[in-house]
Amino acid sequence: MKEKVSAVIMFVLIAVCFCGCSQNEIKENKSQFENTFVSDIVKTESVSSSVSQSDNTNNQVTNNAKEKSGSVKNAGSLNGRIILIDAGHGKGDYSKKEPVAPGSSEMKAAFVAGTSGKNQTEAQLNLKVAKKLQAKLKAMGAQVHMTRMGESTTMSNADRAEMGNSLKADVTVRIHANGSDDKSVNGILTMIPGSKHVNQEIVEKSAAAGSAVQKHMVKQTGAKDGGLQTRDDLTGFNWSKVPTFLVEMGFMTNPEEDKKLESSDYQDKIVQGIADGLLEYFG
């Protein structure tokens, strides 16, 4: 009898232990499930964040493409146009003189050094911008020629004008920067030929091109608008038989403007303004 009672008691104890273990396992499994569920939420949030970042990246790529599309859509817009870019000044024979206009007895310097800023000369600045403009206009389909590609030059002001004539250029773009004894003077202006030595058709075309370029340079840079200035005393104008204008990109003698002119980004804005102006001029 005692043995039967002992056996029953052992059975009950084993059953209780078994049930207890089962409850603990259930609790552990529940805890694991809860932990897994929380972990999945974290992963889901992480994935959502990654997707969001990916979307932002894709949007940025799309926006960048749209920004670049401005230059892409201009590709070929100047096809067939012959453009001469004259980077003003450059080292030459400063003692040489030449007639200010064909048949004129008035003589002027054939080579002039130009002005300078704190860290660069006008000739250096002119060439930097001219090369950037060359690349820009070529990308737009124009046939581009340069009066100089280096620091020194053998081409006088009259020679540069004659080069445009021989090319039968649609326009000659002359790149310069300004200087003044008054350091407060600033702004962009564009010079165009007067009618004293240049025929009226060329004067009118030059004015149209110069006006469009001036407007767009000011728009791009936000610089003070110096407007158009008509000149009858510039050899580079008076020898020209093709439309021409001269850009004065700013005053290197003005500390604030000189600093801007050193900036590659600011130079790019000037180049874009010239390109936009030529697009408007050619229509």
Side-chain angles (χ1 to χ4, degrees), residues 7-277:
V8 170
I9 291 171
M10 288 295 295
F11 177 80
V12 171
L13 288 173
I14 291 170
V16 169
C17 288
F18 179 79
C19 291
C21 289
S22 297
Q23 291 296 323
N24 287 336
E25 286 174 1
I26 291 172
K27 287 181 180 179
E28 286 176 2
N29 289 338
K30 180 181 179 183
S31 176
Q32 288 174 2
F33 175 76
E34 287 174 344
N35 289 338
T36 300
F37 182 67
V38 171
S39 177
D40 286 343
I41 290 176
V42 172
K43 288 179 181 178
T44 302
E45 289 175 347
S46 177
V47 170
S48 298
S49 176
S50 298
V51 171
S52 178
Q53 290 176 2
S54 177
D55 288 343
N56 289 337
T57 301
N58 290 335
N59 288 338
Q60 184 62 45
V61 170
T62 302
N63 289 336
N64 289 341
K66 287 179 179 179
E67 287 175 6
K68 291 181 179 179
S69 68
S71 58
V72 172
K73 72 180 181 182
N74 287 334
S77 54
L78 293 178
N79 279 346
R81 299 298 182 182
I82 302 172
I83 300 174
L84 175 63
I85 301 175
D86 175 19
H89 304 294
K91 291 182 179 179
D93 183 0
Y94 298 133
S95 65
K96 184 179 179 180
K97 293 185 180 295
E98 61 187 353
V100 70
S104 175
S105 59
E106 181 184 353
M107 304 294 285
K108 287 192 69 174
F111 299 89
V112 182
T115 188
S116 63
K118 182 180 180 181
N119 297 310
Q120 62 183 341
T121 66
E122 181 193 348
Q124 291 170 335
L125 171 62
N126 294 342
L127 187 58
K128 289 177 187 176
V129 175
K131 286 181 177 180
K132 287 188 174 191
L133 183 60
Q134 176 192 32
K136 182 77 173 177
L137 299 183
K138 276 188 174 182
M140 294 165 68
Q143 183 185 135
V144 184
H145 300 267
M146 303 280 282
T147 59
R148 71 180 176 99
M149 289 294 288
E151 184 179 3
S152 300
T153 180
T154 59
M155 296 188 71
S156 70
N157 289 315
D159 290 336
R160 299 177 194 214
E162 290 281 29
M163 181 177 178
N165 298 341
S166 64
L167 289 169
K168 295 182 179 179
D170 290 293
V171 68
T172 294
V173 182
R174 304 180 64 195
I175 306 295
H176 284 255
N178 229 329
S180 173
D181 292 333
D182 184 350
K183 293 185 178 182
S184 68
V185 178
N186 64 93
I188 290 176
L189 64 88
T190 299
M191 297 180 180
I192 55 175
S195 56
K196 184 176 180 180
H197 302 289
V198 181
N199 76 58
Q200 192 60 34
E201 181 184 0
I202 297 302
V203 168
E204 291 174 1
K205 288 182 177 180
S206 299
S211 178
V213 165
Q214 174 68 17
K215 177 181 69 177
H216 284 283
M217 283 193 300
V218 170
K219 179 180 178 181
Q220 285 289 332
T221 63
K224 178 181 177 182
D225 188 353
L228 295 183
Q229 187 180 105
T230 301
R231 299 287 293 269
D232 288 306
D233 61 330
L234 300 183
T235 309
F237 281 168
N238 296 337
W239 284 81
S240 184
K241 296 178 182 178
V242 300
T244 180
F245 58 87
L246 186 154
V247 170
E248 292 282 9
M249 299 179 286
F251 284 78
M252 300 182 78
T253 47
N254 178 283
E256 290 77 18
E257 198 152 65
D258 180 44
K259 188 174 182 179
K260 288 180 181 179
L261 290 167
E262 289 181 7
S263 164
S264 180
D265 288 342
Y266 193 77
Q267 293 168 12
D268 290 342
K269 290 178 181 179
I270 292 172
V271 167
Q272 187 63 55
I274 295 172
D276 289 345

